């Protein structure tokens, strides 16, 4: 099994604290940021950053739906880590200042991919698809908190 990784980044037109707070607000803002690939969103514990337990289904392709139950931690300032209890998937959101009133958000998801020919296709196509989904989340984040 090889590790599969998808990374996306965007500059958001808001300061880093505002951006991080919006991403960490699982009981409010976060649900508004999710595109149509997400369903059954539910905060089960917490709701604000560290200690949150959140559930959703992610439909990455027409045939592939992941049932995700994510434990949220904040290992360092400006970093949210979502570890899926149902798989090896881990998503890390890093928010850093990017100049006056701007923030850089880098989101990286890694998981243990399948072996064989299925694994080849997963490593080839899944990162691009997940990057598109993450990009949609980041675009919505910019719309939600960005200075117009």
């Amino acid at each position: 099994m090889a590790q599969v990784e998808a990374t996306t980044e965007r500059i958001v037109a808001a300061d880093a604290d505002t951006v991080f707070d919006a991403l960490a607000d699982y009981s409010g803002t976060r649900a508004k940021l999710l595109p149509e690939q997400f369903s059954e969103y539910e905060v089960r514990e917490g709701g604000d950053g560290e200690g949150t337990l959140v559930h959703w289904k992610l439909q990455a392709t027409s045939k592939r739906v992941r049932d995700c139950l994510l434990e949220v931690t904040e290992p360092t300032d400006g970093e949210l880590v979502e570890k899926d209890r149902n798989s090896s998937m881990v998503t890390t959101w890093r928010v850093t200042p990017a100049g006056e009133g701007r923030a850089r958000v880098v989101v990286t998801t890694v998981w243990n991919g399948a072996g064989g020919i299925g694994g080849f296709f997963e490593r080839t196509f899944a990162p691009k698809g997940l990057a598109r989904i993450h990009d949609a989340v980041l675009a919505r984040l910019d719309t939600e908190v960005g200075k117009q």
Side-chain angles (χ1 to χ4, degrees), residues 27-47:
S27 61
T29 307
R30 184 58 89 90
K32 296 182 211 174
L33 306 178
L34 301 179
E36 63 279 356
Q37 291 90 349
F38 292 86
S39 64
E40 299 183 29
Y41 183 90
E42 176 189 22
V43 175
R44 295 194 177 165
E45 293 175 18

Side-chain angles (χ1 to χ4, degrees), residues 71-87:
E71 295 177 357
V72 179
T73 59
E74 294 181 31
T76 62
D77 284 349
E79 186 175 71
L80 282 172
V81 177
E82 301 166 346
K83 291 183 181 176
D84 187 9
R85 286 185 178 175
N86 298 332
S87 73

Side-chain angles (χ1 to χ4, degrees), residues 57-78:
K57 288 192 176 177
L58 173 60
Q59 185 158 358
T61 68
S62 61
K63 295 179 182 173
R64 179 73 168 125
V65 179
R66 273 186 190 263
D67 189 346
C68 302
L69 183 60
L70 304 151
E71 295 177 357
V72 179
T73 59
E74 294 181 31
T76 62
D77 284 349

